[in-house]
Amino acid sequence: MTDILDELEWRDVLAQTTDIAALREALSKGPITVYAGFDPTAPSLHMGNLATLLILTRFQQAGHRPIGLVGGATGLIGDPSGRSTERVLNTTEVVAEWVSKIRVQVEKFLSFEPGPTAAALVSNLDWTAELSAIDFLRDVGKHFPINRMLARDSVASRLGGDGLSYTEFSYQILQSNDYLELYRRHGCTLQVGGSDQWGNITAGVDLIRRVEGAHVHALTGKLITKADGTKFGKTAGGAVWLDPALTSPYAFYQYWLNADDRDVVRLLKVFTFRTREEIDELEKSVADRPFAREAQRTLAEDLTTMVHGADELAAVVAASKALFGQGSLEELPAATLEAALAEVPKAVVPALGAPLVDLMAESGLVESKSAARRAVKEGGAYLNNVKITDESYVPAAEDLLHGRFLVLRRGKKSVGGVVVG
C-alpha cells in the first residue's frame, strides 16, 4: 500500500506533504480514505484539475478509497488562491448547473463498483447549507487564529493590492470545514490538491487536530509548466477544457500531439497510466527518433481516449489524416470537420463565387494571390484533396463538404479552409 507515494515521486507529481513518513506509515496499515475537491468556477474541469483528479485515481488503483468533492457551496464563494483580483460571484442557478456538469466529469475517472475501494461523490453544499452564521462562527470560525489566516500566501498577496473581501477571506474556513466533515462522515484522513491549495489544505489539517485531536494528512501535486516556464494546459484562446463543447476533441488531440520534445516525457508520466518501462522506451524514442513523434502521438491518443473515448479518438485521427490527403474528407462527420478547420487558417465567406486563388489568399494559406497562382502552376494546390491545375477555377456548390466547408491545401503540409455562411 505504500507504493503509491513512490509512484507519485517517480511520476514527478509530488510537491508537498505534511509528514511523508507518517503518511507512509498510515498507508502501510491498509486502505485509507482520500479526497480532492473541485470547485465549479467554470462549466468544465481543465487540465490542471485533471492532474489532481488523476492523483485521486492512482490512489484508488493502489487500493484506497477516493472521494470526489464538488464545491456546491465553495463555488458560491470563490477561492482567492492564485488570484490578484476579486472573483465575480455567479448565481446559485449557474453554480448548480456547473456542479452537475463537473460531477459527470469526475465520475468518469473513478470506480463506484461496490467494494473496499468504492468511490464516493459529494457536494459540500449538503452540510454547508444547513449551517447558520452563528453556528459557523462559534463552532468553526473560533478555531482560526486571524494572524495565521493573514499570513497565508493567498491572503497576504492580496492585502498589498486591492485587498480582499470577507467573503473570499472566509474561503479557507469553508474548505477546512469540508475536510472536518469528511473526516467525521467517511473517516477521510488525506486531502490531495494542486500546490496552490497548500494553505487551504493544511488549514483543514490544523482544524481537525484542534477539534478532534486527530492527525490527518495533506498532499499536493506540482504545478505543471512547460520547458519555457509557462503553464501547461493553456492556449492562446484560453484553457484546455475537458468539455468537448469548450475544447473540441480535435483541438484537444492536436494540443498534445504538438507537445515539445522537452515536455512530453513528463506529460506522459503525469497524464497517462503508461508503465515505467513503456515511458522509458518512449523517452528513448524522443532522443533517437524525434522526427517520429511517437511519444507525442502516444500522449495524444491516451489522453483523448481517456477524456473523450475511443470513438472520438478514431474520428480525430481520421480527420488529421484526411486533411493531409491520407483519407476521405467526405466521410468525416460535420462536427469533426468543423473542429478541424477551426485549428487551421480559414476564410469565412457569405457565399461561393470567388476563384480558388482568391480563397487561398483570403484564408491565409498563402501570403498573396500571386503566391496562390504560383502554387497552382507548380501543381501544389488542392481543393478537398483534389489537385487543381486551372488558375481560374471557381469552387461550386457541389464542392462543398456538408454544404458548408472547403478544405484547401498547399503542398503536403499546409492546410487551410473556407466556411460558407
Side-chain angles (χ1 to χ4, degrees):
M1 290 284 182
T2 60
D3 289 350
I4 179 62
L5 295 182
D6 295 334
E7 174 84 356
L8 295 179
E9 287 183 324
W10 169 72
R11 289 187 181 273
D12 198 22
V13 167
L14 196 57
Q16 301 149 300
T17 62
T18 40
D19 184 338
I20 195 165
L23 180 55
R24 282 188 186 277
E25 184 181 355
L27 292 168
S28 70
K29 293 178 180 177
I32 68 167
T33 299
V34 50
Y35 98 93
F38 306 93
D39 272 350
T41 54
S44 172
L45 299 179
H46 53 67
M47 293 313 300
N49 302 132
L50 181 60
T52 297
L53 187 49
L54 291 180
I55 292 176
L56 203 60
T57 305
R58 294 186 202 281
F59 267 97
Q60 184 173 36
Q61 292 181 345
H64 303 285
R65 297 183 294 265
I67 299 174
L69 181 147
V70 182
T74 43
L76 292 166
I77 300 299
D79 182 3
S81 301
R83 295 183 61 87
S84 58
T85 57
E86 191 84 5
R87 287 184 184 274
V88 176
L89 297 181
N90 294 304
T91 65
T92 55
E93 292 79 15
V94 166
V95 171
E97 179 186 350
W98 291 356
V99 163
S100 64
K101 290 183 176 182
I102 290 173
R103 285 180 69 100
V104 172
Q105 292 180 336
V106 173
E107 282 175 345
K108 288 176 62 175
F109 294 90
L110 300 175
S111 171
F112 296 85
E113 288 294 318
T117 65
L121 194 58
V122 299
S123 169
N124 55 20
L125 191 62
D126 293 344
W127 53 81
T128 308
E130 61 194 35
L131 265 180
S132 71
I134 294 295
D135 290 340
F136 177 68
L137 293 172
R138 281 177 57 87
D139 298 340
V140 185
K142 68 179 180 180
H143 297 290
F144 286 80
I146 288 293
N147 59 324
R148 288 195 186 180
M149 294 179 72
L150 291 173
R152 296 199 185 279
D153 290 342
S154 60
V155 174
S157 62
R158 292 278 289 278
L159 295 180
D162 295 333
L164 185 72
S165 72
Y166 180 75
T167 300
E168 286 197 349
F169 183 61
S170 65
Y171 181 92
Q172 65 179 275
I173 304 179
L174 290 173
Q175 182 170 325
S176 299
N177 189 52
D178 291 342
Y179 199 171
L180 176 60
E181 285 293 333
L182 292 176
Y183 172 79
R184 287 170 168 169
R185 295 170 182 232
H186 298 278
C188 182
T189 55
L190 173 62
Q191 182 181 176
V192 301
S195 58
D196 61 337
Q197 290 294 306
W198 180 247
N200 291 332
I201 296 174
T202 53
V205 171
D206 189 55
L207 177 63
I208 293 171
R209 179 186 60 80
R210 288 170 178 267
V211 174
E212 299 289 343
H215 181 75
V216 296
H217 308 278
L219 181 153
T220 61
K222 290 183 179 179
L223 177 68
I224 300 164
T225 56
K226 299 181 185 179
D228 62 10
T230 58
K231 258 189 180 183
F232 235 103
K234 294 286 185 181
T235 68
V240 177
W241 302 99
L242 305 193
D243 187 333
L246 299 177
T247 298
S248 72
Y250 184 88
F252 187 89
Y253 176 84
Q254 290 294 327
Y255 180 82
W256 302 108
L257 191 64
N258 291 321
D260 192 300
D261 285 349
R262 297 170 295 174
D263 299 317
V264 68
V265 172
R266 185 177 178 216
L267 294 173
L268 283 162
K269 290 179 178 180
V270 174
F271 288 113
T272 78
F273 292 93
R274 295 281 170 170
T275 64
R276 187 187 296 250
E277 293 73 24
E278 288 173 319
I279 291 177
D280 285 347
E281 281 298 312
L282 290 166
E283 185 171 18
K284 189 172 185 300
S285 174
V286 173
D288 297 345
R289 304 183 304 281
F291 54 87
R293 300 190 72 76
E294 184 181 356
Q296 283 88 343
R297 192 166 59 253
T298 300
L299 176 67
E301 290 178 356
D302 283 11
L303 263 171
T304 304
T305 302
M306 183 192 304
V307 173
H308 296 297
D311 289 345
E312 284 292 355
L313 172 65
V316 299
V317 169
S320 297
K321 291 180 177 179
L323 285 184
F324 294 95
Q326 300 171 37
S328 171
L329 290 166
E330 290 77 7
E331 292 179 7
L332 296 180
T336 302
L337 181 58
E338 184 171 18
L341 292 182
E343 302 302 309
V344 301
K346 67 179 180 299
V348 179
V349 299
L352 292 177
L356 177 67
V357 292
D358 290 16
L359 295 173
M360 290 176 70
E362 189 177 344
S363 70
L365 179 61
V366 294
E367 60 272 16
S368 64
K369 293 180 186 178
S370 59
R373 284 192 287 270
R374 190 161 56 250
V376 173
K377 246 182 224 182
E378 294 172 354
Y382 295 82
L383 173 65
N384 299 340
N385 290 334
V386 176
K387 184 183 290 188
I388 302 298
T389 56
D390 180 0
E391 291 179 38
S392 61
Y393 185 81
V394 177
E398 54 266 29
D399 291 317
L400 290 172
L401 301 166
H402 297 288
R404 290 188 61 211
F405 308 110
L406 299 174
V407 175
L408 313 177
R409 181 157 51 87
R410 181 186 63 178
K412 294 181 178 179
K413 295 184 178 180
S414 299
V415 174
V418 176
V419 180
V420 178

